[in-house]
């Protein structure tokens, strides 16, 4: 099982929208209709922000949205805010696979 | 609201055994998979393994030979032991509950450093 590929870093100005990609293969992202995204502020507990590709848990801002096409999943953060500066990880939600993306550091300029 | 609180030794010498425990507060202990995940310095997340209420385990094949997980249902706790640690095991270790196929919530993380 190999880690899924994410850009190392993405940046944007407050108010802008950014998109983080998560690229896998037909054996992971492409084979499952469920992808999760986690937000991690260093020093704190990671938090589930998207599940089943595009669903948000209760309490998660609607500025976070997810999508998937073939072997690539995407997380979009709209109306970027300073508090969004964190690391983000994707993961195919699977009863078999236990892998994460390589992680993306989001910087708010 | 479910809360995971973890603890364990933070500084180990090579060849020693890493031992961490995670307590579950405010929710059911049965019916879920309880997981350990780690993050080496400057690197991404790595799944270590998981255990259920009855003690059935599923381990990362790369760590399996050194790994032991256990549960204490009387205390709603689960534990991780990793033997013969090396510098490569230096990481922040997280415990987490698996809900469906997702991890939520997570513990606060424990930095474990392996150094002579």
């Amino acid at each position: 099982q190999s880690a899924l590929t994410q850009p190392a870093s993405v940046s944007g100005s407050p108010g802008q929208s950014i998109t983080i990609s998560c690229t896998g293969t037909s054996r992971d992202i492409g084979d499952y209709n469920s992808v999760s995204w986690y937000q991690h502020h260093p020093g704190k507990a990671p938090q589930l922000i998207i599940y089943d590709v595009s669903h948000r848990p209760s309490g998660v801002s609607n500025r976070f949205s997810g999508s998937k096409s073939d072997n690539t999943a995407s997380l979009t953060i709209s109306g970027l805010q300073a508090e969004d500066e964190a690391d983000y990880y994707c993961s195919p939600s699977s009863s078999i696979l236990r892998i994460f993306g390589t992680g993306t550091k989001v910087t708010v300029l | 609201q479910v809360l995971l609180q973890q603890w364990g030794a933070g500084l180990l010498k090579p060849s020693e055994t890493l031992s961490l425990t995670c307590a579950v507060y405010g929710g059911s202990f049965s019916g879920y998979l309880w997981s350990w995940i780690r993050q080496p310095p400057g690197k991404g997340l790595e799944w270590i393994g998981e255990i259920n209420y009855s003690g059935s385990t599923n381990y990362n094949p790369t760590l399996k030979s050194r790994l032991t997980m256990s549960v204490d249902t009387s205390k709603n706790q689960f534990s991780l032991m990793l033997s013969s640690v090396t510098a490569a095991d230096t990481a922040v270790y997280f415990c987490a509950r698996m809900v469906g196929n997702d991890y939520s919530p997570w513990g606060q993380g424990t930095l474990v450093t392996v150094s002579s």
Side-chain angles (χ1 to χ4, degrees):
Chain A
Q1 299 179 4
S2 300
L4 307 172
T5 301
Q6 299 179 230
S9 62
V10 174
S11 62
S13 299
Q16 286 187 330
S17 292
I18 61 170
T19 297
I20 302 168
S21 61
C22 170
T23 302
T25 70
S26 58
R27 294 185 299 277
D28 40 62
I29 293 282
D31 200 29
Y32 295 92
N33 289 319
S34 185
V35 178
S36 303
W37 288 90
Y38 299 89
Q39 179 191 58
H40 183 211
H41 290 101
K44 297 189 176 181
Q47 179 187 4
L48 176 69
I49 57 172
I50 294 287
Y51 67 96
D52 287 351
V53 176
S54 60
H55 291 81
R56 288 183 305 275
S58 174
V60 173
S61 171
N62 60 8
R63 297 184 299 103
F64 293 97
S65 61
S67 63
K68 188 178 90 76
S69 177
D70 296 327
N71 297 339
T72 298
S74 299
L75 172 71
T76 297
I77 308 175
S78 58
L80 199 61
Q81 298 181 0
E83 65 201 49
D84 300 330
E85 188 160 292
D87 299 320
Y88 293 83
Y89 294 90
C90 62
S91 177
S93 297
S94 163
S95 61
I96 301 172
L97 291 177
R98 300 288 187 260
I99 58 175
F100 294 92
T102 49
T104 298
K105 180 177 180 58
V106 168
T107 300
V108 181
L109 301 173
Chain B
Q1 181 181 356
V2 177
L3 176 68
L4 272 58
Q5 187 170 11
Q6 59 183 101
W7 64 89
L11 180 61
L12 298 173
K13 290 182 168 52
S15 80
E16 291 185 335
T17 296
L18 180 157
S19 180
L20 298 173
T21 298
C22 184
V24 180
Y25 299 102
S28 172
F29 193 66
S30 62
Y32 297 100
L33 285 173
W34 302 96
S35 307
W36 291 97
I37 296 159
R38 69 181 182 180
Q39 183 180 31
K43 296 186 179 181
L45 299 173
E46 178 186 25
W47 175 74
I48 298 171
E50 62 201 17
I51 188 168
N52 68 8
Y53 174 83
S54 62
S56 295
T57 56
N58 184 24
Y59 295 155
N60 186 323
T62 65
L63 300 170
K64 187 174 184 177
S65 63
R66 301 190 289 130
L67 199 53
T68 303
M69 293 184 183
S70 59
V71 292
D72 185 339
T73 56
S74 68
K75 296 181 179 179
N76 280 11
Q77 295 177 0
F78 60 105
S79 298
L80 164 71
M81 294 181 69
L82 182 66
S83 63
S84 303
V85 297
T86 70
D89 296 310
T90 293
V92 177
Y93 286 74
F94 296 99
C95 59
R97 182 185 69 171
M98 197 170 200
V99 182
N101 293 317
D102 305 310
Y103 299 100
S104 182
W106 297 56
Q108 78 277 16
T110 300
L111 174 61
V112 176
T113 302
V114 180
S115 174
S116 56

